[in-house]
Amino acid sequence: MSLDDRKLEVLRAIVEDYVETREPVGSKSLVERHQLGVSPATVRNDMAVLEEEGYIRQPHTSAGRVPTDAGYRLFVDRLTRIKPLSPAERRAIERFMIGVVDLDDVVHRTVRLLAQLTRQVAVVQYPSLSRSAVRHLELVPISTTRLTLVMITDTGRVEQRLVEMPAPVQPDDVWELRRRCNEKLAGQKLVDAPPLVQNLVEECAPERRGDMACLASVLLETLVERSEERLALAGTANLTRGGVLDFQGTLRPVLEALEEEVILLKLIGDLEPSTTRVRIGDENQIDNLPVSVVSSGYGPGATIVGGLGVLGPTRMDYPGTIATVRAVARYVGDLLAQN
């Protein structure tokens, strides 16, 4: 990077002013609003260099300049000073999350909180089954030949299946099946469980092998075939708050992307522990999606079980958004660790 400190400060000022005002930024306003210590002519020269290097552009003739994706990238990488959350913001997070009753409640409160604090579209991924472990398996008799299998994971997800038994089973038999399943599977990662389920059948007494085989079939369906991931979304209306330059004149590709869970998972998933990721414009590797995504993994301790983040125009308050996403992810991870 060949830009000197003064030009970097000019770029910082352009980004901050454009994010705040939604209007292209001129040299005169920069000198008036910021203590740059140089004349408007010098600022104009610096802006010309920034434009030539591809960090700012002129949206139309006789207008000021706006940042490009490359300009935002440089701002985030080298110029952003992460804003610490204010005491009021921290209290708002704590109040919002008090009294959560289950995982669904955690996810839906989290996604609403992110949308409100950042004024962007918020996305929260439910804890992934592929990253979860079995906490407990319950068998609930419905009739003599029907059981409900309830699998509870260490991340709070609950999966239920109906089991049709080949013949009537007695309460003592149900108790024994439950005991054997929990002895073998409790604490095991779901991805490691299928061979253990097969062992359950092979190790079962001959007189109970038919019942266990029927139960094992449903268990495998729960463990293996339940591959889809669940997401919660909030704040779509925030997309309409921006200016005409925010989405190149149309919201359609953004709204279409929000309807595709595969795209959303690509935008906020696959994060490393303690990492807050910022992707700007084409960095999302999705055609015609002029947005920025700030995302973070969350989970108990150093274990990442899902992702969360916000999506919005590239004209985004990056310091504030990064701080909020990071703080909310940490808070949700603490909640999961406590429960």
Side-chain angles (χ1 to χ4, degrees):
M1 174 52 54
S2 60
L3 298 180
D4 58 33
D5 289 345
R6 191 187 67 227
K7 293 182 181 64
L8 290 173
E9 283 302 310
V10 171
L11 177 61
R12 183 206 301 276
I14 292 171
V15 172
E16 291 177 349
D17 280 10
Y18 182 57
V19 168
E20 181 180 347
T21 67
R22 308 179 192 175
E23 297 291 338
V25 182
S27 57
K28 182 179 179 181
S29 65
L30 284 178
V31 172
E32 292 173 349
R33 289 169 58 91
H34 300 271
Q35 302 297 318
L36 297 174
V38 293
S39 68
T42 301
V43 172
R44 283 195 295 273
N45 290 334
D46 289 343
M47 291 174 70
V49 173
L50 290 168
E51 187 169 8
E52 183 178 344
E53 295 287 336
Y55 296 112
I56 61 176
R57 64 183 178 87
Q58 189 174 28
H60 50 79
T61 307
S62 302
R65 304 304 192 270
V66 300
T68 63
D69 289 357
Y72 286 122
R73 179 79 267 165
L74 185 59
F75 174 80
V76 169
D77 289 345
R78 293 190 54 182
L79 303 175
T80 293
R81 304 184 182 106
I82 304 302
K83 298 176 184 175
L85 292 187
S86 69
E89 288 171 324
R90 294 190 178 279
R91 286 194 299 271
I93 294 174
E94 293 171 2
R95 283 198 303 268
F96 210 87
M97 303 299 284
I98 286 175
V100 293
V101 296
D102 56 21
L103 182 62
D104 280 328
D105 198 20
V106 170
V107 170
H108 286 99
R109 289 192 191 205
T110 300
V111 77
R112 294 199 310 273
L113 176 66
L114 272 175
Q116 290 179 15
L117 289 178
T118 64
R119 297 187 178 183
Q120 308 290 357
V121 180
V123 184
V124 176
Q125 177 190 12
Y126 275 77
S128 172
L129 285 178
S130 64
R131 299 170 180 169
S132 302
V134 178
R135 176 181 288 172
H136 181 71
L137 290 166
E138 188 59 60
L139 291 174
V140 182
I142 300 174
S143 70
T144 57
T145 59
R146 280 186 167 190
L147 306 175
T148 296
L149 168 66
V150 183
M151 181 182 72
I152 304 170
T153 74
D154 62 341
T155 53
R157 284 189 66 160
V158 178
E159 301 292 324
Q160 296 188 43
R161 289 286 191 280
L162 184 64
V163 186
E164 297 278 359
M165 304 301 287
V169 289
Q170 300 302 313
D172 287 347
D173 297 331
V174 175
W175 182 89
E176 179 66 13
L177 290 170
R178 180 194 302 120
R179 183 187 68 81
R180 285 181 172 273
C181 287
N182 279 296
E183 279 185 355
K184 181 69 73 172
L185 299 175
Q188 299 293 329
K189 291 289 185 182
L190 269 64
V191 293
D192 300 328
L196 301 177
V197 174
Q198 186 60 41
N199 290 342
L200 278 171
V201 179
E202 296 170 357
E203 297 168 2
C204 198
E207 64 272 16
R208 289 205 174 98
R209 193 162 292 165
D211 292 340
M212 184 61 83
C214 186
L215 176 58
S217 175
V218 177
L219 262 174
L220 287 172
E221 176 190 333
T222 307
L223 295 168
V224 177
E225 296 182 5
R226 186 78 177 185
S227 59
E228 75 270 17
E229 300 291 355
R230 296 169 58 195
L231 295 168
L233 189 72
T236 304
N238 288 329
L239 294 172
T240 64
R241 298 174 56 254
V244 68
L245 296 176
D246 278 352
F247 298 105
Q248 300 174 6
T250 176
L251 278 171
R252 182 168 182 169
V254 181
L255 295 175
E256 289 175 346
L258 293 178
E259 294 179 354
E260 296 291 337
E261 289 196 353
V262 173
I263 291 178
L264 293 177
L265 284 169
K266 183 177 180 180
L267 293 175
I268 68 163
D270 300 325
L271 288 143
E272 298 297 324
S274 304
T275 298
T276 303
R277 184 174 65 196
V278 181
R279 284 180 172 170
I280 300 169
D282 291 340
E283 293 174 354
N284 291 299
Q285 299 180 342
I286 297 172
D287 292 339
N288 302 317
L289 194 62
V291 299
S292 287
V293 179
V294 179
S295 56
S296 178
Y298 73 89
T303 302
I304 297 298
V305 299
L308 58 79
V310 299
L311 175 154
T314 53
R315 184 191 58 79
M316 179 184 289
D317 173 17
Y318 291 99
T321 302
I322 292 169
T324 299
V325 168
R326 186 179 293 172
V328 171
R330 188 182 304 119
Y331 198 91
V332 174
D334 290 344
L335 274 178
L336 292 180
Q338 294 166 13
N339 293 286

